[in-house]
Amino acid sequence: HQQRRRSREIQIPLAAALMVFFEELPEDYEKEAVSPAPVPPAKEAAPPAPTLGKGFLEKAQKPLYGPEGSSEGKVAPETHKAHAEHKMNKDINEGMNRGAKENNGLPRPSWYTKDWPKDCQYNSPGCTLEDMETSRHASNLHRSMVQDNARWQEAIQPGLASMKLSFMQMTDEDLEEVIRRLKGNQDVTELDLSHNRIKDAGVQSLVAALAAGAAPNLRELRIYKNDFGDLGKTMLTQGLPVFRKKLEVQSQEPSWAHLKRDAGPTATDPPAN
């Protein structure tokens, strides 16, 4: 009986101590997480050594390419020709379009068409379209003096291989009739329009007709000593050769013509009007 009482006395203080121990713990107690040990960063692998070192070409015992060079650098003649024609067309376009390159950043209108010079078919700063200079007869009498002339009538007869119309006082108005005779003409191979009064508008009409296929067998065109300006010269020397590669165009008087003129007329020269 005494041992039971003694053990009860020992158990009570222990329970009380336990109760006190739990009462002293804070209610929001959370067990602190144990952070893992830091892992050392992995060492970066060294970059691979370059296959080609600096100055390898100088140290090479054998040249990289032979004396003919690399085969990858060869360009076909047709490609060279296409690039040359593209550059020529670009230069012509820019030459006719000074002051309005890329339309000065302005949007093109809805009625834009490639039939007109690029960026020039509307009111663009620095670029204006004006009527080209043309020549016409002052009266019907002046026109009849040219077109009723026996030499004129003989020169425009069908079936001729050579149409010689130099020194005729011919204007753009008369050239329209010549162009009409050239359309569908398979016989003419030589056309002489030198020493007349043809201006830019007449040159434009002639170039347009020849580019469209008039007089397909024409091989020589002499049109120097007329009244056309730089625009007409550009159409003759840079525009027409693109469409008629086999046609020889003489827009400037050759040197031998001066010698012939200084020596005076010969028996075969046409009489002056």
Side-chain angles (χ1 to χ4, degrees):
H1 181 72
Q2 290 179 355
Q3 284 181 343
R4 290 178 182 174
R5 187 174 60 185
R6 198 174 288 147
S7 63
R8 195 167 37 241
E9 290 175 356
I10 294 172
Q11 291 175 357
I12 292 173
L14 180 60
L18 289 173
M19 292 176 63
V20 172
F21 174 76
F22 284 113
E23 288 176 357
E24 288 180 356
L25 290 176
E27 294 180 359
D28 56 349
Y29 169 78
E30 293 181 1
K31 188 177 180 179
E32 297 181 359
V34 179
S35 58
V39 179
K43 294 183 179 180
E44 296 181 358
T51 306
L52 300 177
K54 184 177 181 181
F56 75 97
L57 287 176
E58 289 79 3
K59 298 177 182 179
Q61 298 178 357
K62 186 178 179 181
L64 188 61
Y65 300 114
E68 70 279 359
S70 172
S71 59
E72 299 296 331
K74 293 182 180 179
V75 181
E78 295 79 8
T79 305
H80 279 296
K81 184 177 180 181
H83 283 297
E85 291 183 357
H86 175 75
K87 184 179 183 302
M88 181 186 66
N89 292 333
K90 181 180 178 182
D91 293 341
I92 294 175
N93 190 33
E94 291 180 353
M96 297 173 63
N97 190 30
R98 295 185 181 94
K101 187 175 182 180
E102 298 298 332
N103 194 35
N104 297 323
L106 301 175
R108 294 182 175 88
S110 57
W111 43 267
Y112 172 78
T113 171
K114 294 182 179 179
D115 294 339
W116 292 79
K118 188 175 181 182
D119 293 334
C120 266
Q121 70 274 35
Y122 46 88
N123 187 18
S124 181
C127 181
T128 57
L129 283 180
E130 298 176 352
D131 293 336
M132 285 185 290
E133 292 187 4
T134 186
S135 57
R136 304 189 72 83
H137 291 294
S139 64
N140 293 332
L141 177 61
H142 290 80
R143 185 185 305 105
S144 62
M145 290 176 63
V146 174
Q147 297 190 11
D148 294 342
N149 188 294
R151 181 167 164 254
W152 166 276
Q153 295 294 333
E154 181 182 353
I156 63 174
Q157 289 296 319
L160 296 177
S162 178
M163 296 178 65
K164 297 182 179 180
L165 294 165
S166 60
F167 296 98
M168 292 285 296
Q169 293 296 313
M170 185 170 57
T171 65
D172 295 349
E173 184 179 0
D174 305 308
L175 186 59
E176 295 175 0
E177 176 63 21
V178 176
I179 294 172
R180 190 180 69 82
R181 302 273 180 157
L182 291 175
K183 292 180 179 179
N185 191 328
Q186 302 282 341
D187 301 316
V188 62
T189 59
E190 178 187 359
L191 177 61
D192 188 357
L193 301 174
S194 61
H195 297 275
N196 281 297
R197 296 167 51 199
I198 300 171
K199 292 194 173 184
D200 289 337
V203 171
Q204 184 191 42
S205 300
L206 178 63
V207 169
L210 295 177
N217 296 320
L218 186 65
R219 293 295 178 264
E220 183 178 358
L221 170 63
R222 295 192 293 273
I223 195 171
Y224 50 83
K225 284 296 180 180
N226 274 279
D227 296 338
F228 54 82
D230 292 337
L231 181 57
K233 183 178 178 181
T234 300
M235 289 187 285
L236 289 168
T237 59
Q238 300 185 36
L240 184 57
V242 174
F243 301 96
R244 300 292 294 267
K245 299 184 182 345
K246 297 181 180 180
L247 176 60
E248 178 185 356
V249 180
Q250 296 182 13
S251 60
Q252 291 184 344
E253 186 177 21
S255 57
W256 56 262
H258 296 278
L259 300 175
K260 183 178 179 181
R261 186 173 61 251
D262 295 341
T266 62
T268 58
D269 289 336
N273 291 332

